[in-house]
Amino acid sequence: MPGPESITVAQLARLVGTPEAPEIVDVRIDEDHAADPRMLPGARRRSHRDVAQWAETCRGRPVAVVCQRGLKLSQGVAAWLRHAGARAETLDGGFEAWAQAGGLLVRPDALPRPDAEGRTLWVTRARPKIDRIACPWLIRRFVDPRAVFLFVAAAEVAAVADRFGATPFDIPDTFWSHRGEACTFDVMLAEFGLASEALDRLALIVRGADTDRLALAPQSAGLLAASLGLSRMYRDDLAQLDASMGLYDAFYRWARDATGETHDWPVRPAGAGA
């Protein structure tokens, strides 16, 4: 039975991919991590050995601490983090319980090399519409919450990527780009190993909006209209990205929790027949 300062796999799974998700800290020892290097969505590797040095960086924030089985390492690290003022919980059953339950796991071999502060750095064309917003949303919600995105002139993407060590995306003839009928969002889901009914449903909507195949999903036309409207509301691409995060959060929560719900007018009285 989970303790008062732990979080169950089911509880954490409901938070992953949402703005309410805690920071996830993976403190598995090197041997356990090498045996299965996949990571929980958005997780950051830290060592239990120097927790006293990095605990302050978590002050005031919710944190879920993950070790192999949810025992001594995560218990000790979470206690240190609470001492430093974090709202830290351990994942009940640890990484093993999460993997056995079929929880989403990210393949780290696909991740670009992080910068000196541990963040992934990405670059793409300015004035984003669909894919160049959907992909940053996916990365920040499921891969690297601290990821940095640079929006530059199309002709300068390759040079900026080279000079600043950034990874180009949604650019022709690059790894992170369209492949056949798949858009960049689809490619990222596949390469990161992120597979769930909700993300697959969202991917269909994104693909329809991004590739002018609005018949793929009824919601694609709405996503396209909202995205074009946002692109005209914001001159600054980062401001547009910030404003659009809530749009994708809403589509994801619909895809995960609300596809069976309908809405009609006038309101039908309780107990009324068809």
Side-chain angles (χ1 to χ4, degrees):
M1 183 174 180
E5 292 174 330
S6 65
I7 185 170
T8 67
V9 167
Q11 289 169 335
L12 184 57
R14 295 294 294 176
L15 294 172
V16 163
T18 74
E20 292 76 35
E23 178 178 347
I24 300 176
V25 178
D26 185 331
V27 296
R28 288 178 292 161
I29 61 174
D30 292 342
E31 291 82 357
D32 288 334
H33 182 262
D36 190 342
R38 296 176 300 170
M39 304 276 283
L40 271 69
R44 185 180 184 188
R45 280 208 80 200
R46 294 278 205 173
S47 174
H48 70 280
R49 296 182 180 87
D50 57 357
V51 61
Q53 280 69 57
W54 56 263
E56 284 289 334
T57 65
C58 299
R59 177 179 292 276
R61 291 150 57 184
V63 181
V65 184
V66 181
C67 68
Q68 189 68 7
R69 297 183 181 87
L71 301 176
K72 56 184 177 295
L73 291 187
S74 58
Q75 293 278 335
V77 168
W80 256 111
L81 296 183
R82 289 193 293 272
H83 172 74
R87 303 191 299 278
E89 299 175 302
T90 60
L91 176 62
D92 188 47
F95 180 88
E96 287 187 358
W98 181 271
Q100 289 169 3
L104 282 172
L105 289 165
V106 178
R107 289 172 41 195
D109 54 302
L111 280 169
R113 185 184 299 276
D115 67 6
E117 296 186 28
R119 306 166 300 184
T120 54
L121 177 60
W122 306 78
V123 61
T124 191
R125 297 169 289 140
R127 306 312 301 142
K129 299 297 186 295
I130 308 293
D131 241 353
R132 285 167 288 152
I133 295 291
C135 292
W137 173 84
L138 180 71
I139 291 168
R140 286 207 174 145
R141 291 289 187 250
F142 290 92
V143 180
D144 178 12
R146 302 189 305 147
V148 175
F149 297 94
L150 308 178
F151 295 95
V152 303
E156 302 303 323
V157 170
V160 170
D162 179 62
R163 295 293 182 91
F164 293 87
T167 299
F169 71 98
D170 204 42
I171 301 294
D173 302 318
T174 61
F175 181 81
W176 299 103
S177 190
H178 288 226
R179 299 178 190 173
E181 293 189 347
C183 63
T184 309
F185 188 85
D186 295 308
V187 170
M188 288 193 172
L189 286 178
E191 292 293 338
F192 290 129
L194 291 168
S196 72
E197 288 186 11
L199 286 173
D200 290 346
R201 190 174 286 122
L202 178 58
L204 188 65
I205 298 170
V206 171
R207 192 182 319 135
D210 191 60
T211 63
D212 197 27
R213 290 180 286 165
L214 301 183
L216 285 179
Q219 298 78 21
S220 293
L223 176 60
L224 175 61
S227 300
L228 294 178
L230 284 162
S231 74
R232 283 156 176 77
M233 290 170 61
Y234 295 93
R235 183 176 181 179
D236 182 272
D237 293 337
L238 291 176
Q240 181 190 339
L241 173 59
D242 288 344
S244 299
M245 292 293 286
L247 175 66
Y248 281 88
D249 287 338
F251 270 100
Y252 173 67
R253 289 299 298 272
W254 170 83
R256 196 188 75 178
D257 302 327
T259 56
E261 185 174 339
T262 60
H263 186 72
D264 199 3
W265 185 264
V267 177
R268 185 169 298 174

